[in-house]
Amino acid sequence: ILILESIINDVTLVSAAVIIILLLQLGALNTAQVILAIVEPIAISIVVGIFFMIVWVNAIEWFYHGEELVYTFTLGVLFLMYSVVELIEGNGAIAILVLSLSLGNLPDIINKIGRSRLFSRYPPTLKRMAERSEHVVDEIKKTQLDFSFFIKIFFFVYLGVIFDLSALTPFLVAICVVILALMFISRYISSRIL
């Protein structure tokens, strides 16, 4: 349940930050301009993110048959997509979010489409795409676990190296305790809600 809560928080924070940055860049308070400034980059990002996801899942089968570099190639596609989306004045962060969410949930999405009344039987193209996406997502998850572990270890070692005990004052400790208490309270509340 903590993973679900973390996913919801990450998506909410990224989306909120992107929208706030868009509003700050706009600098105007005209309602039509504000709505257009928010909707246009987000719509571009969603369309391009889904397009890149479909192309990428199919490209994995056509060009690459190994397993060891799927994560690296996917990371390269994310950088390429981010650049393309920013070039056409969309939002790269939201496009990556859309690609990641749609790629991770593609088997479930395709299974729901296959069971709908729109298709009398499960289309073979969709079935192959679901299998390919599951393979890609599994490889990405394996590599991501290793990568996350490395980053966490590096972060804590770096914190230990730069930590200065002489900068520790009672006021700073009190602020840290208050922030920590607020974090625990918010985690408790969000885990109870979910």
Side-chain angles (χ1 to χ4, degrees):
I1 196 128
L2 285 178
I3 293 173
L4 176 64
E5 183 262 339
S6 175
I7 291 170
I8 291 171
N9 281 343
D10 291 346
V11 171
T12 305
L13 289 175
V14 168
S15 302
V18 165
I19 289 170
I20 289 170
I21 290 170
L22 287 172
L23 289 175
L24 290 175
Q25 287 175 343
L26 184 62
L29 295 177
N30 183 352
T31 308
Q33 279 183 323
V34 169
I35 291 172
L36 185 63
I38 292 173
V39 171
E40 184 179 19
I42 292 174
I44 290 170
S45 303
I46 290 171
V47 170
V48 173
I50 291 172
F51 173 76
F52 263 82
M53 183 271 306
I54 292 169
V55 169
W56 179 236
V57 168
N58 287 304
I60 285 290
E61 181 183 5
W62 295 331
F63 298 118
Y64 185 70
H65 300 289
E67 295 180 358
E68 61 277 349
L69 295 175
V70 170
Y71 182 81
T72 307
F73 290 150
T74 303
L75 197 57
V77 167
L78 291 176
F79 283 126
L80 176 69
M81 182 186 66
Y82 183 90
S83 300
V84 167
V85 169
E86 290 291 328
L87 186 68
I88 60 175
E89 298 188 8
N91 190 289
I94 291 181
I96 289 174
L97 178 68
V98 168
L99 184 138
S100 302
L101 287 174
S102 58
L103 181 64
N105 294 304
L106 190 62
D108 295 330
I109 294 168
I110 288 176
N111 285 333
K112 288 186 184 200
I113 290 172
R115 283 187 264 136
S116 71
R117 287 188 235 170
L118 295 174
F119 298 103
S120 57
R121 60 186 177 85
Y122 202 61
T125 308
L126 288 178
K127 185 175 182 181
R128 281 195 313 273
M129 187 181 279
E131 291 167 358
R132 283 189 299 250
S133 71
E134 277 187 78
H135 171 72
V136 170
V137 169
D138 288 343
E139 291 304 314
I140 289 172
K141 284 180 182 177
K142 288 177 193 174
T143 308
Q144 187 68 28
L145 286 173
D146 295 337
F147 193 67
S148 295
F149 177 74
F150 172 75
I151 294 295
K152 287 176 187 175
I153 295 298
F154 178 76
F155 176 74
F156 286 116
V157 168
Y158 183 68
L159 276 180
V161 168
I162 66 169
F163 187 73
D164 183 17
L165 286 175
S166 64
L168 206 58
T169 64
F171 179 70
L172 187 60
V173 171
I175 289 175
C176 291
V177 168
V178 168
I179 291 172
L180 191 60
L182 290 173
M183 287 172 53
F184 280 129
I185 291 168
S186 68
R187 288 279 180 170
Y188 178 78
I189 291 170
S190 65
S191 67
R192 289 292 168 198
I193 292 172
L194 294 175

